[in-house]
Amino acid sequence: MVCCRRVNPFRFCSGLRFLGYSMILLVAAVVALSYYAVVVLVLLIWSYVMVVIKDPGSVPENWRPFLDEENVEVGTSGTLSDIIAPELRASSWSSSGRRPDISYCSRCQNNKPPRCHHCSVCQRCVLKMDHHCVWVVNCVGARNYKFFLLFLVYTFLETCVDTIVLLPRFIRFFQDAKIHSISPGNLAVVFLAFVLNLAFALSLLCFLIMHTSLLLSNTTTIEVYEKRQLPRWKYDLGKKKNFEQVFGTHRALWFLPLYSPRICRTFPSSRVSTSRRAPTKTTTVNTRFSLSGHGL
């Protein structure tokens, strides 16, 4: 009896305190993972909706470059020349004073500004066109390129989360298949879900690496071949400026599918004016492309 009295079985309960700490960490990890998954999903849907409904940028009817005569003579422009690297600006002008890369679209019957291409699917010219994406049923251009990149990022993160969550079940897949503990239908669902998420994650990773390289060099998918023919890409302003031309300078908005007011003001905007060199009775539409802020 004396020995039993000396033994205190409750002293071992103090070890439960450490178990409690681990449970706190477990709950915090579950909450953080749930919060992460929900936030990423919301941002993914938000970015997808924006890239679908946002106009990638179109050329106004009867567009022509807004250039002052004195600016043409000296070979500079307050709005258009900033898209070209300083050491390449002088050589980008022809002897006649006409700006290069201003072409004419026979299908739209309209002039085209630099870096503008005609989309045969949308049947219109798109500013700084990157490609026509069948996943968003829209062109990816100047106005929605940021939303497209964010859509890729958040889709990649979401597929990575799904792959990690499905990994333990995928490991048990082989054991369950061996002992036939679950139905063949459930086995197929687990296997296909894991494999598809893993395949999407890897393909999106390659796609992200490619578009990150294009973003930092201020190049579109269409311009890759043209860039290879030049010793230095004329639209490359440095990695920082190239990034800010798409995502803006406000870091708080970098990961949100929104543009700051300053970036919105640099988007192409239509205005009505008449030509000083050849005035006519009819009013023509001019568009001043502030490319220094968005790198169209």
Side-chain angles (χ1 to χ4, degrees):
M1 294 295 296
V2 177
C3 295
C4 294
R5 291 177 181 177
R6 291 180 179 179
V7 175
N8 184 10
F10 294 101
R11 67 178 181 176
F12 298 102
C13 295
S14 59
L16 296 176
R17 181 175 58 182
F18 299 99
L19 179 62
Y21 291 152
S22 62
M23 295 304 297
I24 292 175
L25 294 177
L26 178 61
V27 172
V30 171
V31 172
L33 182 61
S34 302
Y35 174 80
Y36 169 83
V38 171
V39 170
V40 170
L41 182 60
V42 170
L43 291 174
L44 188 158
I45 298 175
W46 187 5
S47 301
Y48 181 75
V49 171
M50 291 297 293
V51 73
V52 169
I53 66 175
K54 188 67 175 179
D55 184 4
S58 56
V59 183
E61 188 178 359
N62 299 324
W63 175 85
R64 58 182 175 79
F66 188 88
L67 297 173
D68 296 334
E69 291 179 356
E70 54 271 20
N71 286 340
V72 174
E73 293 176 359
V74 298
T76 59
S77 171
T79 56
L80 290 174
S81 64
D82 292 336
I83 64 172
I84 302 177
E87 61 272 18
L88 298 176
R89 290 175 187 170
S91 60
S92 63
W93 288 82
S94 62
S95 59
S96 60
R98 298 182 60 185
R99 174 169 294 278
D101 299 331
I102 301 296
S103 56
Y104 183 79
C105 180
S106 58
R107 284 171 286 187
C108 293
Q109 299 295 311
N110 196 17
N111 293 323
K112 293 194 304 182
R115 314 189 75 179
C116 179
H117 299 275
H118 184 88
C119 177
S120 58
V121 180
C122 298
Q123 295 297 319
R124 60 170 177 167
C125 290
V126 177
L127 297 174
K128 197 185 177 183
M129 178 179 174
D130 188 88
H131 69 286
H132 183 90
C133 183
V134 296
W135 294 96
V136 301
V137 199
N138 196 6
C139 275
V140 177
R143 290 174 175 260
N144 62 354
Y145 188 51
K146 174 186 176 181
F147 308 145
F148 175 75
L149 293 179
L150 290 178
F151 169 63
L152 292 181
V153 171
Y154 294 131
T155 305
F156 170 72
L157 294 178
E158 190 69 23
T159 52
C160 286
V161 172
D162 295 340
T163 303
I164 294 173
V165 171
L166 290 170
L167 181 59
R169 299 191 62 184
F170 182 75
I171 295 175
R172 292 197 304 268
F173 164 81
F174 299 98
Q175 299 176 352
D176 296 336
K178 185 177 181 180
I179 63 178
H180 304 286
S181 60
I182 59 177
S183 63
N186 291 333
L187 287 173
V189 170
V190 173
F191 181 81
L192 289 177
F194 178 82
V195 172
L196 288 177
N197 277 279
L198 180 60
F200 269 111
L202 294 177
S203 60
L204 286 171
L205 177 61
C206 298
F207 211 45
L208 275 174
I209 294 175
M210 182 192 74
H211 274 280
T212 300
S213 176
L214 296 177
L215 171 68
L216 297 180
S217 62
N218 201 350
T219 312
T220 63
T221 304
I222 298 178
E223 296 171 339
V224 170
Y225 178 77
E226 180 185 353
K227 178 184 175 183
R228 292 176 181 175
Q229 311 301 318
L230 300 175
R232 179 176 178 183
W233 186 233
K234 55 186 176 181
Y235 299 113
D236 189 1
L237 302 176
K239 294 181 179 180
K240 181 180 179 181
K241 290 186 178 180
N242 293 337
F243 180 87
E244 291 178 348
Q245 283 180 355
V246 175
F247 284 86
T249 56
H250 294 271
R251 297 183 179 181
L253 300 179
W254 280 357
F255 301 101
L256 296 177
L258 294 172
Y259 280 119
S260 64
R262 179 178 178 274
I263 291 294
C264 291
R265 287 193 297 268
T266 63
F267 279 138
S269 58
S270 300
R271 72 192 190 100
V272 179
S273 66
T274 57
S275 173
R276 289 178 12 177
R277 182 173 298 181
T280 60
K281 295 181 180 180
T282 59
T283 303
T284 60
V285 177
N286 263 310
T287 303
R288 181 184 294 274
F289 292 93
S290 183
L291 305 183
S292 59
H294 195 67
L296 302 185

